[in-house]
Amino acid sequence: MTAGTATPHAVRLLAGYHALGRPAGLDDHLAQYGAPPLATTGAALIQAVEESGLTGRGGGGFPTGRKLRSVAAGRRSAVVVVNAAEGEPASGKDRALLTVAPHLVLDGAALAAGAVGAREIVVCVHAERDSGEIPQADARRGGTAALAGAVRRAVAERERARLASVPIRVTAVPPRYVASEETSLVRWIDAGDARPFVTPPRPAERGVGGRPTLVSNAETFAQIALIARYGPAWFRSCGSQEAPGTALFTVSGAVARPGVVEAPLGTPVGEILRLAGGPSEPLQAVLAGGYGGTWLPPELQDIPTTPSAFKAAGLALGPGILIALPQRACGVAESARVLAWLAAETAGQCGPCVHGLPAIAADFAEIAACQVSTELYRRLDRRLSVIAGRGACRHPDGAVRFAVSALRVFGPHLRVHARAEGCLLARWPSVLPIPEEA
């Protein structure tokens, strides 16, 4: 594909990787896309992003153009933060994108910085739990190189080519689930404490150093780079009217080719699984949105990946995570493990996290161990009903959403856990990734 030529269909963000078969250096990137467009800057870029209908790809789904305009309206010089700190253990899309197409992300960040008047760009990635370095990615998480080093090399390439209009630095955030929340990143950059804080004000109003701060997902910035080059009409030519464009999905579990795939928003869940080779064995359920997301039964695989369709079904799409759970696994035991991990990953700043999530995790552990009673279910229902919406951040809300969906989808299987012989499926190796168990 020649420089400046748009990819019309589903593969856009990963077009360079598909064409080259390897990560793209700066020369590869410029040959593929051309230099960042100078005409689409400032107010023109913000308008183009608004017209495109781009929404954040980190899970929140907030309109990106509105966020850009809010930051640009600030009275002080802004800061741009690229959020590639994937706290979700089953997510690998941002790692994959920054590994194979780092300059697309950095183009978008630089263009956004120009539009909002930022004088600094900070790229946040997760550090490895043991050594402080970024871990080598497996098939589930995508990418092949130490991420922080790969991004720093890409930044150095841009500096040598004099493409770095705004200083860019890379920081490795502590590998905690809540550390990737946008206010956690602001606090980390400011004070070295990656815990979320209560809002308002949001970072767009008062963020890093008290300045207006644009915090967006790495994939979102890459989409901005494409919109700047090819325009909002091109962007909207793929996807649905409600949710235009493509998105990256991390697909794992019982599929033939686990990894990161790209598909238009609105593509049914089952079709995205087929892009990853399809189910490798009969499925019991699919986890959508990661550990703050929801379980869905196999009969809902035709549901389109749009916010309205997922909301209508009581589901959460989140940051594009799909985990196929095989029939041989015990969904109750898998959910109990996740809830125990979520309870240990809190920031410890509010009652719902300090007391509520451990209590819910303990109840699920009893169910998984087949130590059930009517009183246990009543107690669990009561706890689930009082926690949501009362935390200092959205972490307890996501855990409750996950737990409620587990009770709904695996309801028939709960009867097995009430039998004297217990659940034989719980003895199989686990499917869902838990970092401490890796």
Side-chain angles (χ1 to χ4, degrees), residues 25-210:
L26 182 59
D27 289 344
D28 299 319
H29 173 74
L30 294 176
Q32 179 85 16
Y33 298 104
L38 298 178
T40 312
T41 58
L45 177 66
I46 295 176
Q47 183 176 348
V49 174
E50 286 180 328
E51 292 176 357
S52 75
L54 173 65
T55 55
R57 298 299 198 247
F62 191 81
T64 304
R66 193 186 309 173
K67 185 183 284 191
L68 283 165
R69 193 168 294 281
S70 175
V71 175
R75 296 182 179 180
R76 300 178 61 188
S77 63
V79 178
V80 167
V81 176
V82 179
N83 186 356
E86 293 176 294
E88 284 279 357
S91 181
K93 70 181 186 66
D94 297 322
R95 170 189 291 266
L97 185 60
L98 272 173
T99 299
V100 304
H103 293 288
L104 201 59
V105 177
L106 297 177
D107 275 356
L111 288 163
V116 302
R119 298 180 181 177
E120 180 184 15
I121 297 170
V122 184
V123 181
C124 296
V125 298
H126 256 175
E128 188 179 10
R129 292 178 179 265
D130 295 327
S131 69
E133 280 295 320
I134 303 303
Q136 297 293 320
D138 59 19
R140 180 176 57 250
R141 294 183 58 84
T144 57
L147 188 56
V151 177
R152 290 188 180 108
R153 287 191 293 274
V155 171
E157 279 189 295
R158 299 173 77 85
E159 291 173 345
R160 289 193 297 270
R162 298 185 179 180
L163 286 178
S165 56
V166 178
I168 303 173
R169 64 186 175 98
V170 182
T171 181
V173 180
R176 299 297 303 275
Y177 185 77
V178 298
S180 57
E181 199 270 344
E182 65 173 2
T183 63
S184 297
L185 298 182
V186 168
R187 181 181 270 182
W188 169 255
I189 294 167
D190 272 345
D193 180 9
R195 292 184 299 165
F197 56 79
V198 178
T199 58
R202 302 299 305 177
E205 302 166 298
R206 184 178 176 86
V208 175

Side-chain angles (χ1 to χ4, degrees), residues 363 366-367 371-381:
D363 288 343
E366 288 189 37
I367 298 173
Q371 300 171 358
V372 301
S373 67
T374 301
E375 175 55 31
L376 184 153
Y377 285 119
R378 289 175 179 168
R379 183 178 68 213
L380 178 56
D381 286 341

